[in-house]
Amino acid sequence: TPTMELAHELGIELEIHEAWLWHEKGRVLDSWYKRMKEARDLLDTGDEDDSAARDLVKSTYVAGIGMLDYRGRHDQLAIWAPHRHDHIVAKSRANILRRILQIGEAKNRWPVAIEKDAILYTSDSIEGVDAWPGDPKHFGRGLGQFKYEATAQVTEHLEFLTGSGPYRGKSHMQELI
């Protein structure tokens, strides 16, 4: 659904051959999401121990979303719901693409590579807030915000920016702490 909504927003009409439809809908993961968000916000203090705990909260929600689509012995998991997992991933992907398009159209700044939720922009600055081409309110450590992860000199990273095949250079960048 999120992918189809984005295509429609962009004026792309796709022919649907087959679909799973639900006539009722609900936000069954809202209370879980709110608890995870509150914990992350509470632990976003800059304190080293809080930062470690915040990383554990992130691991918890990432694993939780992953369990929705667990391909092993899913018959033993009460939360197995691959359609929910796929919807979460599609919603995230569509929102990332919306932000890329918004920045590109507003600032004429386009990423040089994308790997899942990592978007690479070129910049003269290695300071995250200065390098971020979008609205500052979309930059930070909160859910749905973009975070500054790593940097590399373009001249040393060209081998990964070929335009052929998927981008594989993220692990070759220098993480910033």
Side-chain angles (χ1 to χ4, degrees):
T1 300
T3 305
M4 297 303 292
E5 289 170 347
L6 178 60
H8 181 72
E9 289 169 24
L10 297 173
I12 302 168
E13 295 302 324
L14 302 172
E15 183 178 349
I16 301 170
H17 296 278
E18 188 175 37
W20 290 67
L21 301 174
W22 283 263
H23 298 287
E24 297 176 24
K25 62 181 179 178
R27 300 181 62 93
V28 297
L29 298 174
D30 266 2
S31 63
W32 179 75
Y33 164 79
K34 287 176 185 172
R35 286 194 304 272
M36 294 292 118
K37 183 177 181 335
E38 286 171 7
R40 284 177 53 95
D41 291 347
L42 180 70
L43 295 166
D44 195 8
T45 64
D47 177 79
E48 192 174 306
D49 291 337
D50 287 351
S51 181
R54 191 173 197 275
D55 290 345
L56 290 173
V57 170
K58 179 178 180 178
S59 295
T60 300
Y61 74 75
V62 168
I65 292 168
M67 282 191 284
L68 293 172
D69 194 34
Y70 180 65
R71 300 292 178 175
R73 303 250 355 233
H74 58 77
D75 58 330
Q76 295 179 352
L77 282 176
I79 67 166
W80 187 69
H83 56 287
R84 289 185 179 141
H85 172 272
D86 293 346
H87 186 86
I88 291 167
V89 170
K91 184 73 170 177
S92 174
R93 186 178 300 130
N95 287 340
I96 289 168
L97 289 172
R98 282 185 184 95
R99 187 68 60 224
I100 290 169
L101 291 168
Q102 177 193 40
I103 292 168
E105 291 167 0
K107 305 266 180 98
N108 198 28
R109 293 280 314 274
W110 298 95
V112 294
I114 301 170
E115 181 185 337
K116 296 182 183 175
D117 62 353
I119 300 143
L120 279 70
Y121 286 98
T122 58
S123 174
D124 292 334
S125 176
I126 64 165
E127 297 299 321
V129 72
D130 296 332
W132 171 243
D135 189 321
K137 73 180 179 186
H138 299 131
F139 181 81
R141 291 173 36 95
L143 292 174
Q145 289 184 309
F146 291 84
K147 299 129 191 85
Y148 191 51
E149 287 187 51
T151 187
Q153 291 290 326
V154 172
T155 54
E156 297 169 4
H157 205 67
L158 286 175
E159 67 181 285
F160 304 108
L161 301 173
T162 63
S164 63
Y167 168 73
R168 302 248 190 254
K170 184 176 175 182
S171 64
H172 298 274
M173 298 180 87
Q174 178 185 358
E175 283 191 41
L176 295 179
I177 299 173

